[in-house]
């Protein structure tokens, strides 16, 4: 009798584990890191439109803030400043970095279930591994320059969103080329948002080096203060990456629609509207 109860318990545990795994299509980023048909733009009327089951929508909101939306209705905002537009939507999760005030807020909306700062106590960094079922959010800590000319070890984070089988990375306010350990922890990022200002973050030559090593299928430039900085970045990276100007502030992407050649997709930032 005890053996029968034990066996039933194991079966239920197994079924529960399978169910949990099916909630999120497994990504491949860590596996590829450990081992060392083209993009289509679907012009919908609004960020509020439903998504197909195998695609993710990424909307460029402002500066370094993006809205990442899943087919199941999860909403995540990167480098959250407290304002994403005149909308009623409350994100399920927001990430923040504190190199500058344009990347975080001290007073996030208390209704947001998950607020993830990219820093911890000075020099100690922080570790996030938030499993929301359909989406996993994790981070890799990086060092930053302090406002007074010093350095804060592990003071910011690169956040990675694993959803629909994709690995989507946001490089944050990156101040140095990641080391081998950090590259391995990131894994193979299918989509990456990269700061291309060339001064406040990494010099453009170093940023291009980072992106060529990551070999992401899609690179979305962000954190550009002028068209001049953006254009210079596009010239510097165009020897290995195709360049496409979407003419809109969002793209919808899935594993099957990733471009065959690494591609820079230029999105135009725009606050959300109902």
């Amino acid at each position: 009798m005890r053996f029968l109860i034990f066996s039933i318990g194991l079966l239920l545990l197994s079924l529960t584990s399978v169910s949990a795994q099916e909630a999120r299509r497994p990504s491949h980023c860590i596996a590829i890191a450990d081992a060392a048909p083209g993009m289509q733009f679907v012009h919908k009327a609004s960020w509020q439109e439903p998504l197909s089951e195998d695609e993710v929508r990424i909307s460029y909101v402002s500066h370094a803030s993006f809205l990442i939306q899943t087919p199941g209705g999860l909403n995540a905002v990167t480098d959250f400043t407290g304002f994403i537009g005149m909308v009623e939507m409350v994100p399920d999760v927001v990430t923040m970095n504190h190199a500058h005030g344009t990347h975080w807020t001290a007073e996030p909306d208390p209704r947001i279930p998950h607020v993830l700062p990219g820093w911890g106590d000075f020099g100690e960094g922080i570790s996030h591994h938030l499993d929301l079922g359909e989406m996993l959010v994790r981070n890799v800590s990086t060092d930053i320059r302090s406002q007074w000319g010093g350095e804060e070890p592990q003071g910011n984070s690169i956040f990675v969103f694993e959803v629909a089988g994709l690995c989507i990375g946001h490089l944050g306010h990156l101040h140095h080329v990641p080391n081998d350990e950090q590259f391995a922890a990131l894994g193979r990022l299918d989509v990456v948002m990269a700061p291309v200002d060339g001064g406040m973050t990494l010099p453009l030559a170093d940023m291009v080096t980072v992106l060529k090593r990551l070999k992401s299928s899609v690179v979305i430039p962000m954190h550009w203060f002028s068209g001049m900085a953006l254009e210079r970045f596009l010239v510097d990276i165009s020897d290995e990456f195709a360049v496409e100007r979407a003419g809109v502030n969002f793209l919808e992407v899935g594993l099957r629609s990733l471009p065959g050649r690494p591609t820079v997709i230029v999105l135009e930032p725009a606050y959300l509207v109902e």
Side-chain angles (χ1 to χ4, degrees):
M1 187 65 172
R2 289 182 180 177
F3 178 77
L4 177 60
I5 295 174
F6 179 71
S7 299
I8 293 174
L10 284 178
L11 177 61
L12 290 175
L13 179 60
S14 175
L15 290 175
T16 301
S17 298
V18 171
S19 177
Q21 291 175 359
E22 290 177 348
R24 180 179 66 256
R25 184 174 183 176
S27 64
H28 54 272
C29 51
I30 293 299
I32 290 181
D34 290 342
M39 175 70 64
Q40 294 182 349
F41 299 97
V42 183
H43 298 278
K44 294 183 181 270
S46 170
W47 57 272
Q48 297 167 303
E49 293 288 338
L51 281 159
S52 64
E53 64 179 15
D54 59 350
E55 288 192 319
V56 177
R57 182 184 296 121
I58 302 173
S59 300
Y60 190 11
V61 178
S62 176
H63 196 53
S65 293
F66 289 83
L67 169 64
I68 302 172
Q69 296 176 282
T70 73
L74 289 177
N75 297 297
V77 177
T78 67
D79 279 26
F80 182 66
T81 63
F83 182 74
I84 56 176
M86 301 301 291
V87 293
E88 293 298 323
M89 187 265 288
V90 177
D92 298 285
V93 56
V94 300
T95 64
M96 301 189 297
N97 277 308
H98 77 161
H100 294 282
T102 50
H103 297 259
W104 70 293
T105 176
E107 298 180 351
D109 190 326
R111 295 176 298 171
I112 299 173
H114 306 284
V115 178
L116 308 183
W119 66 97
D121 293 336
F122 188 90
E124 295 184 8
I126 196 167
S127 179
H128 295 292
H129 192 276
L130 176 64
D131 193 337
L132 299 177
E134 189 185 19
M135 174 188 283
L136 172 69
V137 186
R138 58 184 177 85
N139 74 303
V140 176
S141 291
T142 62
D143 304 338
I144 58 169
R145 300 182 297 269
S146 70
Q147 299 180 35
W148 301 277
E151 182 179 282
E152 181 179 351
Q154 303 187 78
N156 270 266
S157 290
I158 296 171
F159 282 93
V160 179
F161 305 82
E162 299 185 25
V163 57
L166 294 170
C167 285
I168 302 171
H170 186 283
L171 297 185
H173 215 275
L174 188 61
H175 287 178
H176 64 88
V177 176
N179 58 34
D180 290 344
E181 182 180 355
Q182 290 166 325
F183 272 115
L186 287 173
R188 171 65 161 82
L189 302 178
D190 300 294
V191 181
V192 62
M193 295 85 132
V196 300
D197 58 279
M200 298 291 286
T201 57
L202 271 181
L204 280 183
D206 290 340
M207 180 54 66
V208 170
T209 296
V210 169
L211 295 174
K212 287 183 176 180
R213 176 163 178 178
L214 286 173
K215 297 186 183 300
S216 300
S217 296
V218 175
V219 174
I220 305 175
M222 66 171 183
H223 205 267
W224 38 275
F225 297 96
S226 69
M228 180 180 290
L230 175 62
E231 294 303 323
R232 181 181 170 188
F233 165 74
L234 296 178
V235 169
D236 289 352
I237 202 168
S238 62
D239 60 331
E240 291 190 23
F241 285 70
V243 175
E244 295 187 12
R245 297 177 185 270
V248 293
N249 75 315
F250 69 93
L251 63 85
E252 294 173 3
V253 60
L255 277 176
R256 296 181 180 179
S257 62
L258 289 171
R261 177 187 177 188
T263 301
V264 177
I265 307 292
V266 180
L267 299 180
E268 301 296 332
Y271 286 114
L272 303 181
V273 295
E274 295 288 358

